[in-house]
Every structure is written in structure tokens, then in C-alpha cells.
Amino acid sequence: MSYWFRMHFAEVEEKQFLDFCIKLNRACIEEADEIIMDNAHYIPSIQHSFGLLEESEYRENWREADRNWLYNLFSNKFVYWPDKGLVGAVGNFPSKIEKDLVTIEFQNSTDQNYDYEYWSGISYFEEITKLLKTGTTECILSHLNKGSVSAACYTLEEITEDIDYYKKSAVYNSIYNSLDLDNWLWNKKGDFRSFSIQAINSSEEHFQLTRKLEIVRKKKLEEYKEMLK
């Protein structure tokens, strides 16, 4: 099955893990305008009607859908690997938070030979990268085979012909498999702790965010009207 997802990483001690998650969620509320605007195209009433609804029709048919979408927008997923002191976060985070995290895009729709520097910033990733960057052909073959249904396609001769490509691919494969991300992705039990935390902590906060949503929605509608002229 094909996949693509973006995960943000940070090195966090287990005793600080909950505080770290709370910090990220609090930042989402503080920078709610940025998050809503960045995702404005996906507001249900806009995405499915391209902003052509009359206000009365909107309130009757789409208002609740937009508010449910808003609630889900501020629900963030967290994954923790205690043995590695590593946390992964998936959600909509403000730019001031993302810049302090290491962001990795995982996918199997194109080549996975990411540059070695792509994994910088997380010591666990850097250790794997250093190991495989200087690994033997046999070592690279072993890491490519591990957990891969297509492993039988690889041969020592094939890897030797483009060793740097396969070393980089082995780094991706090793990190993806060692984090057990396939089980996480398909909602199966794995070698990690996984849960979601809702950034909205009260009905008052939700109400305030719905006001922001309406402002952003109207602004986006004005942009669409200009496009249609």
C-alpha cells in the first residue's frame, strides 16, 4: 500500500514528554490564526462548494461541518519511543514550533535515497546514517532486506553498481523499520506509545476558535470572488 506522511521529531526525556506535548498544543492555540489560514482551503464549506454558498444556506448545511473540521484540526498525534528518548508529532503546528523540530517526510511513491544531511538533528538518526554511510555492501544489503517485501529484488552486484544510492536508501529503510512506523501508520500495535491530544481544552476556547474560523473563511471567500471576476 502506498503511503505519505510528515512527522516532526525531537529528543525528549521520558519525564519531560507530557510537558513537551502540552507545550506544542498550547502553541497551536496561541497561533490559531496561522494554522486556520494555512488550512483554509480544506474548510468543508469552501472545499466542497468553492465559496458559492449563500449565507443562509451555509448556516443551515455547512456550519456544523466546519466546526467539526476545526475541532479535528487541533487534534495532534504523538508517538514516543522511550528507549530512544524520541518523540514524533503529527499535526498542524505553527511555524515557530516547527523550526525547532526535525521534520521528516516518509513515503514509498518515489526513491527513498534522501541526502545524509536530511537526517541531521536527531542523534539516533545520525548514528544510523554514520553506520550505513561507511557500511560494506553486505551490510547495506542486509539493511535493505530487513522488513522489505521487495528484498529479493536486490543483489550484491546491483548494489555495487550504485553503492551511494543504496546506502542512502538503506538509511531510510533502517530508520523507518526500527521506529516500527508501518505498524503505527496502519493503526496496529507496535514498539512505541501512541495517542492523540486535543489542543482545545474548553468550550470557551472552541467558541473563540470558531470566531477566528469565520473571519478566515470570509477572507478566503473574498479571495475566491476576486478570482472569479
Side-chain angles (χ1 to χ4, degrees):
M1 301 173 76
S2 62
Y3 67 82
W4 177 92
F5 62 92
R6 179 185 292 116
M7 186 173 284
H8 308 287
F9 292 94
E11 294 172 313
V12 180
E13 294 181 9
E14 189 167 5
K15 63 182 179 180
Q16 298 175 334
F17 174 56
L18 182 58
D19 288 339
F20 175 82
C21 296
I22 292 173
K23 174 185 174 182
L24 262 61
N25 274 12
R26 239 17 265 169
C28 291
I29 299 299
E30 293 168 1
E31 305 296 331
D33 295 279
E34 175 190 336
I35 292 174
I36 296 172
M37 180 58 75
D38 286 347
N39 292 276
H41 175 74
Y42 302 105
I43 298 172
S45 62
I46 291 180
Q47 184 179 25
H48 298 291
S49 69
F50 200 62
L52 300 178
L53 294 173
E54 295 293 335
E55 187 63 20
S56 59
E57 185 182 357
Y58 167 69
R59 292 188 177 279
E60 180 180 356
N61 299 318
W62 286 101
R63 192 178 189 183
E64 192 64 25
D66 285 358
R67 292 187 174 187
N68 289 337
W69 170 86
L70 177 72
Y71 191 81
N72 290 327
L73 183 67
F74 286 87
S75 179
N76 299 314
K77 297 179 180 179
F78 294 94
V79 195
Y80 191 61
W81 296 269
D83 60 322
K84 301 176 178 64
L86 184 64
V87 57
V90 176
N92 298 280
F93 301 104
S95 54
K96 73 174 187 179
I97 286 293
E98 286 193 356
K99 69 180 179 63
D100 294 326
L101 304 173
V102 173
T103 302
I104 303 294
E105 293 187 357
F106 295 96
Q107 53 74 34
N108 64 350
S109 60
T110 186
D111 292 349
Q112 298 166 335
N113 60 323
Y114 298 179
D115 289 340
Y116 298 120
E117 293 75 17
Y118 189 72
W119 305 101
S120 298
I122 298 295
S123 57
Y124 177 68
F125 296 168
E126 292 172 351
E127 289 171 6
I128 292 177
T129 301
K130 182 179 180 180
L131 173 68
L132 295 179
K133 187 177 181 179
T134 57
T136 64
T137 305
E138 290 77 9
C139 173
I140 300 306
L141 181 62
S142 174
H143 280 81
L144 286 172
N145 287 353
K146 189 176 181 180
S148 175
V149 295
S150 61
C153 297
Y154 296 109
T155 65
L156 286 174
E157 292 75 13
E158 182 180 18
I159 291 175
T160 303
E161 289 177 0
D162 196 352
I163 187 62
D164 192 56
Y165 172 90
Y166 288 106
K167 282 183 176 181
K168 291 176 179 178
S169 299
V171 172
Y172 177 101
N173 198 60
S174 181
I175 290 174
Y176 185 86
N177 289 328
S178 66
L179 296 182
D180 204 7
L181 286 176
D182 214 45
N183 278 331
W184 172 84
L185 179 61
W186 305 116
N187 298 313
K188 298 178 181 179
K189 292 182 179 180
D191 190 20
F192 49 75
R193 300 175 186 173
S194 178
F195 54 89
S196 297
I197 301 180
Q198 174 55 246
I200 304 172
N201 290 312
S202 67
S203 57
E204 289 78 11
E205 277 188 347
H206 191 219
F207 177 74
Q208 292 172 1
L209 290 181
T210 60
R211 297 290 299 272
K212 295 178 183 291
L213 171 63
E214 291 178 4
I215 293 172
V216 171
R217 178 180 176 274
K218 289 179 180 179
K219 182 177 180 180
K220 204 67 178 178
L221 290 179
E222 291 299 320
E223 293 178 3
Y224 285 151
K225 289 178 180 178
E226 289 297 319
M227 292 170 55
L228 294 173
K229 286 182 178 180

